[in-house]
Amino acid sequence: MDCNTGAFPNLFVTGLILGMLYALIALGYTMVYGVLKLINFAHDAIFMIGAASIFYLFGVWFGLNEPTGGVVLVSLIAVGFLVSGLASGGSAVLLERLAYRPLRRRGAARLSFLIAAVGASFFITYLFQQDFLLGTSEHNFPGFMATESALTIIGAQVNNRRVLAVLTAVALFLILDFFVNKTRSGRSIRAVAQDIDAARLMGVNVDRVVALTFFVGGFFGGIAGFLYGMVFSKVAWNLGFFPGIKAFTAAVLGGIGNVRGALLGGVTLGLVENLSTLCIGAEWKNPIAFSVLVLVLIFRPTGILGEGLSAR
Amino acid sequence: MSASTFVDRMRTRQKKASTLEDFLPGLSRRLPDGVRSVVNQMFGLWASLGFLRYLIAGALLASIALPLGPSKDEVLVRTGFFALAALGLNVVVGLAGLLDLGYVAFFMIGAYTVGLMTESSAPVHPLILDAWFVLPLAVAIAMITGIILGTPTLRLRGDYLAIVTLGFHEITRQTAKNLGVVNGSRGIFAIPAPDFTIPGTSITVDFGPLNPELYWFVLVVFIVLALFMISRLQDSRIGRSWEAIREDEVAAASMGIPVVKMKLYAFAIGASTSGLAGWALATKVGFINPNTFPLLSSILVLCAVVIGGIGSSLGALVGAAIVFGLPEMLRELGTNEILGFDVQTGRIAIFGLLLVLLMIFRPGGFISSTRRRAELGGGGADIAEESVTPVLVE
């Protein structure tokens, strides 16, 4: 085994950035799991919708494929966050309303939830694969933000798109941590996560809290989709598959249901996956990520930080 | 669930001949009394046939090939592989209640075992054997892999299994893609087809690509054997344990059922059936590469099991016909679009939607037993009506 240590800085920085994106997606899995104990398999599709919405709005309708700068760029990015977040958050709420709520009403078995979630994921993903939506080919992400080298960290060149992704992810995490731990709505989410029946008896509107959880998770997933599309400069119907499964791994790694765990798990996974390519070929990246998941589940099934939105 | 209701539920599991009501309660209610009793008597008669039922079922399955003609036999055979796989997955998902999203990984392991151990284009051959001799090896290796994967993960909460198996499918596929031993993404070809010399004569039956309809008969034998074994297992102590675990793991464990061991049995039986189907595909098609087994195929087998009716072997076969046979048939007939969806790619969107709708409106699938429907529905209402005198824990 020969290790290419010269690539370390680049891989480290890439791993960190990718890890932050995984963490953002992982939030959707972790929050829904925390509240409903459901693996929302359809979250990968929700994430893809975020990227697709920007592709449609900026790329197809407004044709913003030329680099812009200054105030225009800043406002485009702000609009992009809002649109991708709302598109994904809205889809997530719709998904909950149409697919999961009827199951909850009936008190369906967990297997039913899981199968419905798998079905929803494949429905949305393959709907977008049809020609009237994204089609089978890969599209370029609207190029309204030129890619230019922004700064150098420990010898690795980092472009402006990646800087934006990391700064946004950090900011969103701070906002979410505040939201969950300090606000009234956050308290109701934690209450439902801790004991759904007790929360209902205390006057918490459980349906609203569940919808809110799906919205928040979807919103962050959508922004992650926007950033992911921008960093890798692509939009495709199957954009969500690998990031989705890895984000789930990240959520389990950090402790599913735990917001801070999602961040820790995402960054850990991003680093492990990228640094492994120092010594092992890049084609083994995905098998390694999945092996990490299996190992974590065997030795520490509750993850690094333990489970639970309510556990602090 | 209290211990007594749990015992009740298990009591209702006691063997009795099926009635029409078990399968299609709506239809059963609408039929006039006379017709219903005739139908139910026929069910009783069918049940009394014993092992003969499997021979009849086999003859019926085999005869499907006749009216279709050679061009459609290819479709039939391709459906047959997945029907066999669906039967196995039905044990895992339907009987034991474990959601396996990477089921085709074992299929792939079975197929690659054949590729490596027969006289094929693979660069390395640990052994070179006749196709028939590889059969038990393919089944055994798939089973062992299932046990190796299952031992650590089956101890975990159920929903993690789904994601671990999903990951396992990708690991297997990418490993095959990256390993030179199995020729990477180019795959293995020239896998010899099995042949069979009738004892005492010099007549050799070749199951190769020249006679697609003959291979169907091989598959029918496998399917009927699988049906028989699964049905026997279902009625055995092991089958009852599976159902107990599926309904309430904690209650099952407290009744002394070795939960992990039983789950492992289900997982191993599922994996070996899948391995068998993989053997069949490799020897029939003669060519395998990692792209023969996309993750999607695992999901489609699950769709077949769920759409046909979770927990019902007949349902798994019907589901496989719908999920795998129907689109191929439509394509053969020249239909490429349904409602604006491309038949090949759009079917997955349609099946996805169908999974969601089925879970909401008919959680037992199209063919479902009353008991199974009540379990998946969560509410114990149907069960309470059905159950005999309540029995307390002795």
Side-chain angles (χ1 to χ4, degrees):
Chain A
M1 195 184 287
D2 50 331
C3 291
N4 173 17
T5 43
F8 180 81
N10 258 322
L11 288 173
F12 185 80
V13 172
T14 309
L16 206 61
I17 293 162
L18 207 55
M20 294 300 283
L21 288 177
Y22 289 162
L24 266 190
I25 311 166
L27 282 177
Y29 287 105
T30 234
M31 291 193 64
V32 168
Y33 192 91
V35 168
L36 287 185
K37 301 285 173 288
L38 158 75
I39 299 179
N40 181 15
F41 273 104
H43 191 61
D44 63 340
I46 299 290
F47 160 82
M48 181 268 298
I49 288 176
S53 67
I54 297 302
F55 168 73
Y56 275 109
L57 185 72
F58 288 177
V60 178
W61 289 329
F62 290 107
L64 297 166
N65 291 316
E66 297 306 315
T68 53
V71 186
V72 183
L73 180 61
V74 172
S75 44
L76 278 181
I77 291 171
V79 171
F81 285 157
L82 205 61
V83 168
S84 56
L86 288 178
S88 290
S91 321
V93 171
L94 207 64
L95 173 73
E96 194 277 324
R97 187 73 192 75
L98 296 179
Y100 301 143
R101 195 177 292 182
L103 289 172
R104 275 197 295 129
R105 285 269 183 280
R106 222 190 45 218
R110 280 172 85 148
L111 190 62
S112 301
F113 272 102
L114 280 176
I115 292 171
V118 172
S121 168
F122 276 79
F123 172 63
I124 301 173
T125 310
Y126 281 84
L127 194 65
F128 273 80
Q129 192 217 39
Q130 298 300 302
D131 289 332
F132 54 81
L133 286 169
L134 289 176
T136 43
S137 54
E138 204 174 278
H139 303 277
N140 281 328
F141 194 79
F144 57 87
M145 187 173 180
T147 313
E148 54 200 40
S149 183
L151 59 139
T152 312
I153 304 170
I154 52 165
Q157 293 276 315
V158 186
N159 70 39
N160 53 351
R161 291 183 174 194
R162 295 179 163 210
V163 173
L164 175 72
V166 169
L167 291 182
T168 314
V170 171
L172 289 177
F173 261 95
L174 291 176
I175 293 170
L176 185 73
D177 205 54
F178 176 79
F179 173 76
V180 171
N181 291 324
K182 293 285 176 345
T183 65
R184 203 183 150 78
S185 302
R187 198 163 61 198
S188 60
I189 291 178
R190 280 184 288 133
V192 174
Q194 207 165 48
D195 189 327
I196 198 161
D197 294 321
R200 189 177 282 125
L201 291 175
M202 296 297 128
V204 177
N205 184 341
V206 169
D207 280 340
R208 232 180 59 204
V209 171
V210 170
L212 177 70
T213 312
F214 270 86
F215 181 77
V216 173
F219 192 85
F220 285 62
I223 295 180
F226 171 42
L227 294 170
Y228 191 90
M230 194 145 88
V231 166
F232 293 95
S233 199
K234 67 173 180 186
V235 179
W237 62 277
N238 60 358
L239 189 74
F241 181 72
F242 278 113
I245 196 169
K246 282 179 189 161
F248 178 79
T249 308
V252 175
L253 191 62
I256 197 157
N258 185 321
V259 172
R260 292 172 191 179
L263 180 62
L264 183 67
V267 172
T268 312
L269 188 72
L271 287 177
V272 168
E273 184 186 295
N274 277 279
L275 292 179
S276 71
T277 59
L278 276 176
C279 299
I280 311 165
E283 71 273 18
W284 293 100
K285 219 158 110 175
N286 289 332
I288 283 174
F290 295 130
S291 311
V292 168
L293 173 67
V294 176
L295 289 177
V296 169
L297 285 178
I298 295 168
F299 294 109
R300 200 167 162 77
T302 53
I304 303 170
L305 293 184
E307 291 184 359
L309 270 176
S310 48
R312 293 193 48 198
Chain B
M1 196 193 313
S2 71
S4 63
T5 41
F6 183 73
V7 171
D8 281 354
R9 283 199 178 190
M10 290 295 98
R11 282 282 159 130
T12 61
R13 181 66 193 79
Q14 272 163 2
K15 196 63 191 165
K16 62 172 197 279
S18 303
T19 57
L20 182 61
E21 190 163 13
D22 289 340
F23 297 103
L24 300 162
L27 179 69
S28 171
R29 247 174 277 129
R30 259 167 239 128
L31 285 176
D33 281 348
V35 179
R36 187 169 53 223
S37 83
V38 169
V39 173
N40 283 339
Q41 271 174 10
M42 280 162 69
F43 270 108
L45 194 67
W46 175 247
S48 66
L49 286 176
F51 186 71
L52 212 56
R53 282 180 297 171
Y54 294 98
L55 296 182
I56 296 173
L60 283 176
L61 277 174
S63 64
I64 300 176
L66 298 175
L68 287 178
S71 72
K72 308 283 187 296
D73 283 339
E74 203 67 36
V75 176
L76 195 61
V77 170
R78 290 195 158 269
T79 310
F81 302 134
F82 291 102
L84 190 56
L87 278 178
L89 184 62
N90 186 43
V91 174
V92 183
V93 180
L95 300 185
L98 308 165
L99 188 58
D100 184 347
L101 293 181
Y103 185 67
V104 170
F106 304 114
F107 196 103
M108 192 173 176
I109 288 166
Y112 267 92
T113 307
V114 182
L116 282 175
M117 296 195 178
T118 54
E119 207 173 348
S120 65
S121 77
V124 182
H125 294 281
L127 284 170
I128 290 188
L129 295 170
D130 184 73
W132 293 115
F133 287 111
V134 187
L135 197 158
L137 281 176
V139 171
I141 290 177
M143 186 189 257
I144 291 166
T145 327
I147 292 171
I148 291 173
L149 181 72
T151 308
T153 47
L154 288 174
R155 285 166 209 279
L156 302 169
R157 255 208 317 264
D159 20 2
Y160 282 153
L161 184 72
I163 203 92
V164 170
T165 48
L166 190 73
F168 178 67
H169 184 131
E170 266 310 296
I171 294 179
T172 316
R173 208 174 70 85
Q174 301 224 359
T175 305
K177 213 170 180 170
N178 298 335
L179 274 185
V181 190
V182 291
N183 229 350
S185 51
R186 272 164 303 162
I188 301 174
F189 36 94
I191 298 167
D195 51 27
F196 180 70
T197 309
I198 295 167
T201 63
S202 58
I203 307 166
T204 301
V205 187
D206 178 21
F207 293 105
L210 292 176
N211 311 313
E213 72 283 358
L214 284 182
Y215 211 92
W216 172 246
F217 301 125
V218 178
L219 281 172
V220 166
V221 171
F222 288 158
I223 289 173
V224 169
L225 274 177
L227 277 175
F228 175 66
M229 278 173 19
I230 290 167
S231 143
R232 301 298 295 167
L233 273 173
Q234 206 172 349
D235 294 336
S236 74
R237 197 182 172 78
I238 296 176
R240 288 198 302 277
S241 305
W242 285 339
E243 285 185 47
I245 291 167
R246 185 187 64 202
E247 285 191 37
D248 191 328
E249 202 173 316
V250 177
S254 62
M255 298 284 161
I257 293 171
V259 172
V260 175
K261 195 168 121 191
M262 288 300 164
K263 282 183 179 178
L264 207 53
Y265 283 170
F267 212 62
I269 285 164
S272 51
T273 316
S274 194
L276 177 65
W279 176 89
L281 182 126
T283 52
K284 167 70 179 77
V285 180
F287 164 74
I288 45 168
N289 72 12
N291 294 332
T292 320
F293 313 93
L295 190 73
L296 199 59
S297 48
S298 279
I299 305 294
L300 285 176
V301 178
L302 179 73
C303 288
V305 168
V306 175
I307 289 171
I310 302 182
S312 149
S313 286
L314 178 63
L317 294 182
V318 173
I322 295 174
V323 173
F324 295 98
L326 198 61
E328 300 252 355
M329 269 322 227
L330 286 174
R331 196 171 48 172
E332 284 275 320
L333 295 172
T335 317
N336 289 316
E337 269 192 23
I338 307 173
L339 306 171
F341 281 93
D342 179 73
V343 169
Q344 278 312 301
T345 59
R347 66 177 166 150
I348 301 144
I350 297 172
F351 290 143
L353 186 63
L354 209 53
L355 286 193
V356 180
L357 293 177
L358 276 173
M359 284 304 112
I360 296 173
F361 296 109
R362 201 176 158 83
F366 287 136
I367 299 172
S368 65
S369 65
T370 323
R371 190 178 63 248
R372 193 75 188 99
R373 206 161 35 243
E375 287 155 18
L376 283 167
D382 285 358
I383 290 293
E385 283 165 27
E386 243 185 52
S387 59
V388 245
T389 1
V391 185
L392 290 174
V393 187
E394 281 101 330

